[in-house]
């Protein structure tokens, strides 16, 4: 806002007729321009003094400090509104990101569970080797009619157990 625009808005500001955006621009200019501030002081003192005289109110002794208080209060209110708006935007963005991350993680868990189920279906009888090692990989003497001497063996790998089982069943 230029000095000419600010000076043309002085009366409207004192009367409270400025819209919000113009009022904020006006107050920012008044804070930075001493000439416009001095002119606002003069008009404010004159108009408020006349208003107090007409209303038979006690006349203020310090119009400048009243005006300064009014300007600071309006600028603080505007700053609070801006801060509230910004923090609301940040909270909404964080909420959306949190929801997206939670949804993505949930999607990955569902996808992982589905892949594991498909792997279980494709693995067949060997998938259950941890539970059925004794049945699947250690043939009983009665069924195969083979004399197998009990040996103390080290723990064999899964694939070596499969090879051994296949070798024993091929002897049949």
């Amino acid at each position: 806002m230029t000095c000419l625009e600010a000076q043309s808005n002085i009366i409207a500001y004192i009367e409270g007729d400025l819209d919000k955006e113009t009022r904020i621009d006006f107050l920012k200019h008044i804070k930075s321009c001493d000439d416009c501030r001095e002119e606002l002081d003069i008009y404010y003192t004159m108009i408020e003094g006349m208003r107090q005289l007409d209303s038979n109110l006690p006349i203020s002794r310090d119009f400048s400090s009243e005006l300064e208080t009014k300007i600071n209060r309006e600028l603080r209110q505007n700053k609070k509104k801006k801060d509230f708006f910004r923090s609301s935007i940040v909270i909404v963005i964080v909420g959306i990101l949190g929801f997206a991350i939670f949804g993505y993680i949930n999607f990955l868990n569902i996808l992982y569970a589905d892949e594991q189920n498909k792997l279980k279906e494709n693995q067949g009888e060997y998938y259950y080797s941890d539970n059925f090692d004794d049945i699947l990989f250690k043939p009983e003497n009665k069924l195969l009619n083979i004399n197998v001497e009990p040996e103390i063996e080290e723990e064999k790998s899964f694939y070596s157990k499969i090879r051994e089982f296949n070798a024993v069943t091929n002897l049949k």
Side-chain angles (χ1 to χ4, degrees):
M1 180 173 282
T2 64
C3 287
L4 186 58
E5 291 171 334
Q7 290 171 2
S8 66
N9 287 324
I10 288 176
I11 302 294
Y13 172 73
I14 294 171
E15 297 296 326
D17 294 336
L18 288 180
D19 62 273
K20 180 182 174 184
E21 191 174 309
T22 308
R23 186 179 72 240
I24 297 304
D25 288 341
F26 173 77
L27 291 175
K28 287 179 182 178
H29 179 81
I30 291 297
K31 280 294 207 178
S32 64
C33 179
D34 291 336
D35 293 336
C36 292
R37 172 57 193 250
E38 185 178 336
E39 192 154 338
L40 175 64
D41 260 344
I42 292 168
Y43 277 101
Y44 183 79
T45 303
M46 185 174 60
I47 292 173
E48 279 300 309
M50 297 285 270
R51 191 176 293 150
Q52 289 175 5
L53 281 174
D54 289 342
S55 301
N56 289 327
L57 297 173
I59 297 177
S60 175
R61 297 199 180 264
D62 194 5
F63 288 105
S64 294
S65 66
E66 286 178 12
L67 179 62
E68 183 68 28
T69 304
K70 181 180 177 183
I71 290 171
N72 289 336
R73 182 181 56 235
E74 289 180 10
L75 287 174
R76 264 195 318 274
Q77 287 174 347
N78 182 55
K79 186 177 183 322
K80 285 180 183 178
K81 287 178 184 177
K82 279 185 178 180
D83 291 345
F84 178 76
F85 180 73
R86 287 180 185 148
S87 63
S88 298
I89 295 293
V90 168
I91 288 172
V92 167
I93 290 172
V94 167
I96 290 170
L97 285 175
F99 184 73
I101 289 170
F102 176 74
Y104 181 70
I105 289 172
N106 193 28
F107 172 73
L108 288 179
N109 287 337
I110 291 170
L111 187 64
Y112 177 76
D114 187 47
E115 287 176 359
Q116 292 302 313
N117 287 335
K118 287 179 183 176
L119 284 174
K120 286 178 187 177
E121 290 172 4
N122 292 335
Q123 286 178 344
E125 65 184 34
Y126 296 119
Y127 179 75
Y128 300 100
S129 69
D130 291 342
N131 297 325
F132 301 108
D133 271 351
D134 295 337
I135 297 168
L136 294 176
F137 299 113
K138 293 184 181 172
E140 294 183 16
N141 296 337
K142 297 176 187 172
L143 296 176
L144 297 176
N145 293 327
I146 300 174
N147 293 329
V148 177
E149 296 179 15
E151 300 176 5
I152 300 175
E153 300 179 9
E154 293 181 19
E155 185 66 31
K156 296 181 182 179
S157 72
F158 178 76
Y159 293 110
S160 63
K161 290 177 183 179
I162 292 173
R163 285 189 210 101
E164 182 180 308
F165 176 75
N166 289 336
V168 171
T169 47
N170 287 337
L171 292 176
K172 238 171 115 172

